[in-house]
Amino acid sequence: MPVLWLGVRAQPGSARHATPAQTEGPFYPVVFPKDSDHDLLRNGALNYPEGQSAWVEGSVSDLAGKPVAGAQVEIWQCDHSGHYHHPGDGGKADTRFQGFGRVTVGADGSYRFRTMRPVAYAGRTPHIHVKVKLGARELLTTQLYVDGDPGNTSDFLWRRLDQAGRAALTVPFNAGPDGLRARFPVVLAI
């Protein structure tokens, strides 16, 4: 009598979906800061004590789950008062906050930034902008949102996302031993 094997190898893999793209927004850096590393809470010799310290980390992979080694992940966000390091925001950003960071992912596709839990500003819910590049190619620009933030439901960009898009871009910021921690995996359709 034939046997039907329903073990792990016989099961189809769970479908992976590409991380949804969103607008870059008006405040992508015009000039990159001299200090553009993973630690946005330290701008050169200046420390930034404001806000809630947070680690934003994850991985960059393709739809098959293969890490995209060598990809660059960039993040940028406003300071605790809602200001960006950008001429269009009037030069009001706190100079202690780096505001922009860039890392190159390793062979395993992982990345990690030290920053602060994003804050709301006029018309927007808390968010962090994320861009992924590979060489000169821009592969994705999107935004990361804070799970459970009451401002999400009134944010015009968050509301445009379908349920799967909201699940992909909205992550919890959970307490950890060295600040909050948010895990944001990026899946690219390349």
Side-chain angles (χ1 to χ4, degrees), residues 8 34 42 56-57 76-77 84 101 106 111 116 133 145 160 162 166-167 170-171 179-180:
V8 174
K34 290 179 183 177
R42 185 171 177 87
V56 174
E57 56 196 3
W76 66 101
Q77 68 186 99
Y84 285 88
Y111 71 89
M116 66 172 201
K133 298 177 179 179
Y145 299 94
R160 289 181 187 168
D162 62 16
R166 289 175 183 170
T170 310
V171 299
L180 299 175

Side-chain angles (χ1 to χ4, degrees), residues 85-166:
H85 289 290
H86 190 280
D89 201 18
K92 300 174 187 171
D94 191 319
T95 57
R96 298 172 299 169
F97 185 56
Q98 187 173 298
F100 173 87
R102 178 187 296 137
V103 296
T104 301
V105 304
D108 65 351
S110 66
Y111 71 89
R112 188 174 196 213
F113 291 96
R114 181 172 172 247
T115 188
M116 66 172 201
R117 182 190 186 277
V119 299
Y121 59 87
R124 290 301 319 274
T125 193
H127 63 283
I128 297 174
H129 298 267
V130 179
K131 185 183 289 281
V132 181
K133 298 177 179 179
L134 188 58
R137 290 178 46 211
E138 288 188 12
L139 303 177
L140 176 71
T141 301
T142 194
Q143 297 182 31
L144 173 161
Y145 299 94
V146 179
D147 185 42
D149 192 281
N152 290 345
T153 56
S154 61
D155 187 84
F156 69 103
L157 289 175
W158 191 86
R159 281 195 330 252
R160 289 181 187 168
L161 293 164
D162 62 16
Q163 185 175 359
R166 289 175 183 170

Side-chain angles (χ1 to χ4, degrees), residues 13-46:
S14 61
R16 293 174 54 91
H17 301 283
T19 302
Q22 285 207 302
T23 181
E24 182 176 276
F27 299 123
Y28 183 72
V30 174
V31 176
F32 295 113
K34 290 179 183 177
D35 189 352
S36 296
D37 66 2
H38 79 285
D39 190 350
L40 281 69
L41 299 182
R42 185 171 177 87
N43 191 8
L46 303 174

